[in-house]
Amino acid sequence: MSIGLYIHVPFCLKKKCDYCSFVSVPREEGLVSFYLAALAREMEMRSRCLAPGEKLVDSVYIGGGTPTCLTAGELASVLEGVHSFFIVSGGAEITVEANPDTVDSGKLAGMKKAGVNRLSIGLQACHQDLLDTLGRSHSFSGAAEVFRDARRAGYDNINIDLIFGIPGQSLWQWRQCLREVACLCPDHISAYGMQMEKNTPFFEKVRSGWLEECPEDLEAEMYEVLIDTLGGLGYVHYEISSFALPGKFCRHNLGYWHNLDYIGLGPAAHSNLGGRRFSNHPSPIRYAEMLEEDIPPVDWQEETSPGAGMSETLFLGLRLLQGLDLEGFGERFGKSVDEVYGNEIERLTALNLIERAGGRLRLTRRGLLLGNTVFSAFV
């Protein structure tokens, strides 16, 4: 059985974006070298605890922060460590998230040579006023040129990240942005509704009235426009927030949605391994110090109870448009979904939020718009 490997790079070039709640700090040369040495130690430590048959990696996802504020050589050293301590399958999907301001043709070529075969470009919005609202430092034209540079460098699997429901964003702007992005012909598009995360400058601006939150009905209309527009252009809507050309589904994220084992490396990274969930210390410095002392950098951990495992498998499976495999659920847990969640399923079916089709339980079109209501019923 193969696993997914997530690697968190906790650095941004100057500062994190105003809406971001992920762990990141400004890049400093001394701290980067400290982090890279610690990351190599964590790889060795995690690998040491795995049996040979458990070290097979089918996907590597390097996220952040801003992974591309590392040099191509630094990213190559990270992947060299992966190959040293794990068994990377020949066709493994290896993704790096890229901020348009931190890559050029030379870095893209260097990453490709190091083994990166999938790029995820954080565009987020197409209009400058919205990019300014988000605190992004790039322009749409600059991001589009990075995309074209990536194609010229040989990347044939590129994702573009978008956000809708941004304060001040109009439905017209969203439609135009989807058309502009579609003209680039990315292989994958991830589109997320704006999240107001506490303890971020963005949240404080909304709370204080400097920014006005997008109305729920407008955000819902944007989501429906997203589904219809990309579907009409040949993109497969395979997960709530994910659209891909045939054959370009994100293998790494599918592992999450099927509730499979994965290992997270780096500060604040989470793991789900052998019935145990744990996360690393969020402070990059403390994370590195613990590893320097040969101490596992774990900040929190728990054993996954059978009930929690069933709950997670169900609501994660419902994120997929094809839905949850009912027979597979029964084989995995020794109980049918109806035995455990019969009342909830009956109620949500009556509300036209979920339905059965082809041996699967899935969200209806209405359920897609009210996903959190559905998921909360199974938590």
Side-chain angles (χ1 to χ4, degrees), residues 46-118:
R46 298 294 180 211
S47 174
R48 202 167 56 211
C49 297
L50 297 174
E54 298 174 324
K55 296 182 183 181
L56 181 63
V57 171
D58 194 42
S59 67
V60 179
Y61 193 104
I62 303 179
T66 305
T68 48
C69 76
L70 298 181
T71 67
E74 289 165 343
L75 285 167
S77 74
V78 171
L79 291 175
E80 285 169 9
V82 171
H83 283 277
S84 294
F85 297 112
F86 299 91
I87 302 168
V88 181
S89 66
E93 175 190 272
I94 300 178
T95 304
V96 170
E97 290 181 346
N99 184 314
D101 270 358
T102 59
V103 288
D104 55 24
S105 57
K107 181 177 286 189
L108 289 166
M111 289 163 52
K112 190 77 168 58
K113 184 177 179 181
V116 178
N117 55 29
R118 185 175 185 271

Side-chain angles (χ1 to χ4, degrees), residues 137-367:
S137 56
H138 64 266
S139 64
F140 173 74
S141 60
E145 188 57 31
V146 165
F147 182 93
R148 288 187 283 267
D149 283 342
R151 285 293 197 222
R152 287 189 284 265
Y155 291 88
D156 61 2
N157 196 353
I158 305 177
N159 170 66
I160 287 181
D161 270 351
L162 296 173
I163 298 174
F164 60 92
I166 302 167
Q169 185 178 31
S170 69
L171 188 61
W172 174 84
Q173 285 178 313
W174 180 234
R175 289 182 188 276
Q176 186 184 47
C177 185
L178 290 174
R179 288 194 296 269
E180 295 276 5
V181 169
C183 285
L184 294 172
C185 299
D187 308 280
H188 192 287
I189 297 172
S190 299
Y192 305 96
M194 186 79 240
Q195 298 294 309
M196 301 296 171
E197 301 288 354
K198 291 183 179 179
N199 301 318
T200 63
F202 206 85
F203 180 84
E204 294 304 321
K205 288 178 182 179
V206 171
R207 189 171 67 170
S208 65
W210 280 96
L211 291 174
E212 185 175 347
E213 197 168 355
C214 180
E216 287 187 9
D217 57 345
L218 175 56
E219 186 170 330
E221 190 173 2
M222 288 180 175
Y223 184 53
E224 294 207 85
V225 165
L226 169 72
I227 294 171
D228 293 337
T229 300
L230 296 187
L233 293 170
Y235 286 88
V236 179
H237 186 194
Y238 72 98
E239 186 271 338
I240 285 181
S241 303
S242 305
F243 302 77
L245 296 177
K248 298 295 186 177
F249 294 5
C250 179
R251 192 186 311 167
H252 185 83
N253 286 344
L254 283 172
Y256 294 148
W257 299 319
H258 287 298
N259 202 20
L260 302 179
D261 281 0
Y262 60 89
I263 295 176
L265 304 169
H270 287 244
S271 299
N272 177 24
L273 189 64
R276 187 168 67 99
R277 289 189 177 277
F278 54 95
S279 65
N280 285 345
H281 201 287
S283 163
I285 293 176
R286 184 56 190 146
Y287 161 84
E289 288 174 342
M290 292 173 76
L291 284 158
E292 194 172 45
E293 298 165 14
D294 203 31
I295 300 171
V298 175
D299 181 58
W300 164 90
Q301 62 182 319
E302 69 174 12
E303 298 296 320
T304 306
S305 68
M310 287 188 283
S311 171
E312 291 166 0
T313 298
L314 179 50
F315 72 73
L316 288 170
L318 285 173
R319 289 190 64 90
L320 295 167
L321 269 288
Q322 67 176 3
L324 177 76
D325 179 354
L326 294 172
E327 184 177 349
F329 182 96
E331 291 174 352
R332 183 170 181 174
F333 297 106
K335 291 184 178 181
S336 72
V337 168
D338 291 300
E339 285 181 82
V340 186
Y341 300 107
N343 292 337
E344 291 86 350
I345 290 172
E346 185 177 350
R347 178 174 65 84
L348 294 170
T349 301
L351 293 171
N352 190 31
L353 295 175
I354 59 175
E355 63 185 3
R356 297 174 193 266
R360 294 179 176 274
L361 187 69
R362 67 186 187 188
L363 296 175
T364 61
R365 174 75 177 235
R366 183 167 184 262

